[in-house]
Amino acid sequence: MQIVRFTSPLTSADAVGIDDGEQVVELKGVSSVGELLRLSSDELRARCEGADGARHPSGSVALLPPVDGRMEVWAAGVTYRRSREARVLESERAADVYELVYDAERPELFFKSVAWKVAGDGGRIAVREDSEIDVPEPELGLVLNAAGEIVGYTVVDDVSSRTIEGVNPLYLPQAKIYLGGCAAGPGIRPAWEVADPYALDISLSIARGGETVWDGKASTSQLNRRLDDLAGYLFRADVFPDGAVLATGTCLVPDLPFTLQDGDTVTIGIGEIGTLTTTVVRGVPEQLG
């Protein structure tokens, strides 16, 4: 089962539904993911399992990013050993900062994107024109309801400028937060259907001119943090009335000096969760898709 956001063929309006692989069943009276995330975990499950709205063949509807309205996307950093090694290698003056945060009690958390800036499956991500080294960062995204419960999972691409981030840790927002710097999708896999989120395979493939120029595989088993711990820190001093998505860090980082180029295709797959495919543009994208 996937909770999906899409354009309804009947009304041409945004809709939310349940995709079982054969058909998408609309959730009557629900026009946004944020509405669902106001519910408790038990209420959300009952609502999804009781879907009885209009039905459409799977693949026949145009999917939208699984974030909307007042939802926000946040991210955690340096949660995998590979991420720590990459941050240390690229940092010019503050490598010890990343060494310390890997084992610290408090995780690194940072704001990533408002909902309307998030690209969806089949959409466009971007790399900044003032950066030389840019990479995708495949991450398991926690879908959190207003109460901070983990109610689902999605695929997130935390696109990053290694050039800007490596100069100074204080440049992190410019390296991470810009139009085209975040993608999520294709939908939300309900948490109650995922037996072990610490045993999910993650893959990243980058194609250029029809040929694969980089690929790699890893697993959430390498995560150095507990998922509920990351969610707990996010909700310690903040509120998310329509829920939030929290990306949990990356374990796949291409070695320097690899960089994304205009026209590249990025494919991220997470076992049991889904596959997110986007196209790269350099500079400010005209549309995210």
Side-chain angles (χ1 to χ4, degrees):
M1 176 193 295
Q2 288 266 348
I3 302 170
V4 293
R5 179 170 164 259
F6 60 99
T7 301
S8 172
L10 300 178
T11 64
S12 297
D14 292 357
V16 178
I18 303 301
D19 188 348
D20 64 4
E22 295 184 358
Q23 60 182 355
V24 176
V25 183
E26 292 191 26
L27 290 168
K28 288 182 179 178
V30 178
S31 61
S32 71
V33 175
E35 289 181 40
L36 284 181
L37 297 183
R38 298 171 198 162
L39 304 175
S40 70
S41 178
D42 290 342
E43 291 171 332
L44 189 150
R45 179 172 183 173
R47 190 74 177 83
C48 292
E49 292 179 343
D52 60 354
R55 299 169 185 268
H56 316 282
S58 294
S60 69
V61 297
L63 293 183
L64 301 170
V67 293
D68 52 30
R70 295 187 296 172
M71 290 179 66
E72 299 175 4
V73 179
W74 285 68
V78 200
T79 55
Y80 289 86
R81 181 175 297 277
R82 178 68 183 104
S83 178
R84 181 188 69 172
E85 293 170 348
R87 291 274 196 97
V88 169
L89 182 63
E90 74 191 13
S91 181
E92 297 180 8
R93 300 181 179 88
D96 58 333
V97 170
Y98 301 113
E99 292 278 13
L100 292 171
V101 78
Y102 180 74
D103 292 315
E105 178 180 354
R106 179 182 294 274
E108 176 195 14
L109 297 178
F110 57 90
F111 176 77
K112 179 64 182 179
S113 181
V114 293
W116 69 268
K117 288 187 177 182
V118 178
D121 184 49
R124 296 182 177 186
I125 56 174
V127 294
R128 296 178 59 123
E129 289 187 317
D130 59 351
S131 174
E132 297 176 0
I133 305 294
D134 306 272
V135 294
E137 294 189 5
E139 307 189 12
L140 174 67
L142 309 181
V143 181
L144 308 169
N145 66 6
E149 298 175 295
I150 300 173
V151 297
Y153 304 97
T154 191
V155 182
V156 176
D157 187 356
D158 172 21
V159 190
S160 303
S161 164
R162 297 190 71 178
T163 300
I164 295 173
E165 184 178 356
V167 173
N168 191 314
L170 295 181
Y171 293 163
L172 181 71
Q174 297 174 70
K176 298 278 192 178
I177 308 169
Y178 58 88
L179 186 64
C182 180
I188 298 170
R189 184 71 187 274
W192 59 86
E193 292 195 345
V194 180
D196 186 359
Y198 300 98
L200 304 177
D201 294 331
I202 302 177
S203 64
L204 168 65
S205 176
I206 304 171
R208 182 174 299 156
E211 297 185 2
T212 299
V213 292
W214 197 93
D215 63 32
K217 295 182 179 180
S219 169
T220 56
S221 64
Q222 300 165 328
L223 187 65
N224 191 46
R225 300 276 183 177
R226 297 294 301 177
L227 300 178
D228 53 353
D229 184 52
L230 292 173
Y233 269 98
L234 181 63
F235 274 72
R236 276 193 176 193
D238 213 341
V239 294
F240 301 90
D242 287 353
V245 172
L246 174 58
T248 55
T250 189
C251 49
L252 289 171
V253 182
D255 292 330
L256 292 169
F258 181 90
T259 184
L260 290 172
Q261 294 183 10
D262 187 84
D264 285 355
T265 299
V266 176
T267 302
I268 299 171
I270 300 182
E272 299 185 45
I273 310 304
T275 300
L276 173 66
T277 301
T278 53
T279 302
V280 178
V281 297
R282 188 162 188 82
V284 179
E286 295 182 359
Q287 62 181 20
L288 298 177

